[in-house]
Amino acid sequence: MKSVYFDHANSTPVLPEAIAAMHPYLNRHFGNPSSLHRFGDPPRQAIEQARNQVSRLINAAPESIIFTSSATESNNLALKGLAFAHQNRGRHIIVSAIEHISILEQTRTLKRSGFDVTTLKVDQWGRVDPQKLRETIRPDTILVSVMHANYEIGTIQPVEQLAAICRERGVLFHSDGTAAVGRIPVDVTRLEVDAYTFSAQSVYGPKGAAVLYLKPGIRINPLIEGGFQEKGRRAGTENVAAIAGMGRAAEITGEHLSGWRENMNRLSRRLYQELPARVERIIFTGHPIDRLPGVVSMCIEFVEGEALLLSLDDAGIAAASGSACTARTLKASHVLLALGIDHAVAQSSLLLTLGKDNTDEDIDYFLDRLPSIVSRLRSISPLYARYLRGENPYACKTGQNHQHEEN
Ligand code: PMP
C-alpha cells in the first residue's frame, strides 16, 4: 500500500546529513562538553558550531541562542523565565487565545504565582489585531507572547507590528516560531522580537533539541537550575548529538528553503483548487493569504475528525486533526473554537501539513481516496441525515471557501 505523510506539524523526517552530523557524538566523541580534558573538546566544539548554524538561519547573534530539549521547554523558559526575572516591574502578561498549549497551560501556574494574565482574542482568520494589543497593554504589563504562525490553521501573525508596539511601551515580546521556521524565512533581527522559540523538528532535525533565542542583554531566570551550561540559563549536560543534528539541519534548511516553499505552495494550491470539487461542504480555516506554505487546514462537515484520521490511516495516509499534544483528548481544538467556529464543525477538522518531500503523486492519491472515505462516514452521520432532509444542523459561523495564496 502507498504511504503518504501529511503530518509534518507533528514530526518531520530527519535529514540524512543531520543524522551523519549526530553520529560522532553517539560513539567516539562521547565526552562531556564541560570537561576540561581533551575528551570534552569535540562535543564542546560541536555545540558551538551548531549555535553558529542555528543563529545564521534566523539572523541572530550566536550568543543569543539557548539550547533546550523541546519547543515546549523553550516556551516554558521564555514565559516563566522572563516573568520571574522581570516581576519587579509588574505582573501582567498577555498571550493570544490560539497559542500552543505549552504557552496556555503555563498561565495557570503563573496566575497561582500572583501574575495576572490576559488572553487576547483573535479574529475569524486567527489574527491578533495590533490595535487590540495596544489597548490591552497596561502600565504593569511586562511580557506579551504571540506565536509567529499557527500550525492548526496556518495563519501568520503580524509579529513585526506586535513587537514594535511592545517595544514602544517597554514590554518584552516573545514569539513561538515552531511552526514558522522551516516554512517561511525568519529574521529575528528584522522582527525585533526579544525572545523566539523553535525546535529541531521545525528544520527536519532530530527530536530532543530546540532553541530559545534571547536578545542579548535581556535577563531571564533559568527553569532548570544546577549547572553553568548555556551560561547558567539552562543547566544539565547538553544533548550533544541532537544539538549537532539540529545545527546541520538548520544549515540545510537555510540553503533549500525557497525551493521547498515553492513545492509546498504548488501542492497546497492543488488541494485548495481540487478538494471542493471532490467533496462538498469543506470549510478551509485560517487566513486566506497570510498563511504558512504547505499547511492546508479545513473542516469537513458532518464527518468526525478522529474517525476520518483512522480511515485515512487505513488507506496509508497520515494526517492530523489538530496538534498531537491534544490528539488523544478527543476535545474540539481551542484554536478553531477561538475563531468562532461552531463546536460540531470544529470536531470535523482535518489538518494536512505537507513537507519538502511530498509529491504530486501524494496529492493524487489523497484526492482519489478522500471522497469515498467521507461518503462512508457521512452515511452514518446523524448530522448529515439532518442536512439531507433540508434542515441546517448547526450555524456555520466562519471559514468561507476562499482563494488561498502563497507565502
Ligand atoms: N509550539 C508550537 C507552535 C507547536 O506547534 C508545537 C508542537 N508541534 C510546540 C510548540 C511543542 O513542540 P514539542 O512538543 O516538540 O515540544
Side-chain angles (χ1 to χ4, degrees):
M1 185 172 54
K2 187 169 166 61
S3 173
V4 173
Y5 189 75
F6 284 156
D7 193 18
H8 293 82
N10 286 317
S11 188
T12 48
V14 183
L15 286 161
E17 294 89 339
I19 296 172
M22 295 170 74
H23 261 142
Y25 308 98
L26 293 168
N27 50 47
R28 71 179 184 283
H29 295 317
F30 61 86
N32 189 312
S34 297
S35 293
L36 294 179
H37 52 67
R38 71 189 64 178
F39 284 82
D41 293 343
R44 190 163 50 248
Q45 283 156 11
I47 293 171
E48 293 322 308
Q49 186 184 355
R51 204 183 302 284
N52 283 318
Q53 290 164 317
V54 157
S55 65
R56 270 199 297 276
L57 179 68
I58 58 166
N59 192 26
E63 64 271 20
S64 62
I65 301 295
I66 305 171
F67 283 115
T68 67
S69 67
S70 61
T72 298
E73 187 191 329
S74 294
N75 281 344
N76 272 265
L77 177 58
L79 220 63
K80 293 197 196 98
L82 289 172
F84 285 112
H86 297 268
Q87 58 180 322
N88 58 332
R89 294 199 289 117
R91 299 192 124 211
H92 181 230
I93 294 167
I94 301 170
V95 301
S96 93
I98 61 163
E99 293 304 298
H100 185 261
I101 54 166
S102 57
I103 292 288
L104 291 181
E105 292 273 309
Q106 292 185 68
T107 61
R108 275 194 249 157
T109 314
L110 286 165
K111 282 179 188 166
R112 276 200 300 272
S113 304
F115 289 89
D116 188 10
V117 183
T118 302
T119 307
L120 213 52
K121 291 202 173 96
V122 293
D123 65 16
Q124 62 172 328
W125 312 117
R127 295 253 288 187
V128 169
D129 177 358
Q131 187 53 29
K132 274 215 187 103
L133 173 64
R134 198 187 293 279
E135 289 159 13
T136 311
I137 293 177
R138 312 189 312 213
D140 62 338
T141 307
I142 51 167
L143 175 63
V144 172
S145 184
V146 176
M147 69 204 320
H148 195 167
N150 185 295
Y151 254 142
E152 288 187 47
I153 51 171
T155 302
I156 300 172
Q157 301 292 345
V159 163
E160 201 170 346
Q161 261 176 289
L162 301 174
I165 291 167
C166 290
R167 203 164 47 255
E168 268 169 39
R169 304 286 294 271
V171 173
L172 293 168
F173 183 79
H174 165 255
S175 190
D176 176 358
T178 309
V181 173
R183 288 187 183 268
I184 53 173
V186 173
D187 179 336
V188 291
T189 307
R190 189 179 58 77
L191 294 174
E192 291 203 64
V193 292
D194 296 304
Y196 193 90
T197 293
F198 69 103
S199 85
Q201 289 282 291
S202 311
V203 291
Y204 301 89
K207 291 168 189 65
V211 154
L212 180 67
Y213 158 83
L214 184 67
K215 200 191 256 177
I218 295 181
R219 266 182 310 116
I220 195 160
N221 281 12
L223 205 61
I224 303 174
E225 297 171 280
F228 289 100
Q229 293 89 353
E230 299 300 285
K231 298 207 171 84
R233 297 174 298 184
R234 202 278 186 177
T237 300
E238 302 86 340
N239 187 349
V240 182
I243 289 170
M246 179 175 186
R248 185 74 180 111
E251 189 171 63
I252 292 177
T253 296
E255 286 162 15
H256 294 279
L257 184 59
S258 69
W260 294 351
R261 270 169 79 197
E262 218 170 280
N263 184 46
M264 289 189 289
N265 269 328
R266 193 178 56 77
L267 297 179
S268 310
R269 199 160 48 233
R270 281 199 57 197
L271 288 167
Y272 288 122
Q273 283 167 354
E274 297 179 42
L275 269 173
R278 303 224 182 193
V279 176
E280 60 161 354
R281 309 266 316 191
I282 288 188
I283 300 164
F284 291 118
T285 55
H287 199 280
I289 296 160
D290 291 326
R291 54 182 303 107
L292 292 173
V295 175
V296 180
S297 54
M298 69 199 92
C299 293
I300 303 185
E301 288 181 88
F302 322 122
V303 164
E304 206 267 316
E306 260 70 30
L308 181 57
L309 289 192
L310 295 177
S311 301
L312 286 170
D313 188 39
D314 284 343
I317 299 161
S321 192
S323 162
C325 311
T326 47
R328 291 180 191 276
T329 63
L330 301 182
K331 279 191 195 153
S333 151
H334 71 280
V335 175
L336 298 178
L337 296 180
L339 307 187
I341 291 181
D342 188 283
H343 202 277
V345 178
Q347 280 187 313
S348 68
S349 126
L350 177 66
L351 172 62
L352 308 176
T353 44
L354 279 52
K356 67 182 182 64
D357 297 324
N358 283 126
T359 60
D360 278 296
E361 289 71 47
D362 293 341
I363 304 293
D364 291 339
Y365 184 77
F366 173 76
L367 288 170
D368 187 50
R369 293 299 185 285
L370 185 71
S372 59
I373 293 173
V374 170
S375 297
R376 186 171 50 74
L377 294 174
R378 281 181 174 168
S379 72
I380 52 170
S381 157
L383 287 180
Y384 192 57
R386 257 184 268 163
Y387 165 71
L388 289 181
R389 286 200 299 272
E391 301 162 18
N392 191 358
Y394 42 69
C396 175
K397 294 181 188 155
T398 189
Q400 299 88 342
N401 276 352
H402 36 53
Q403 254 343 92
H404 279 68
E405 291 178 20
E406 49 246 30
N407 258 290

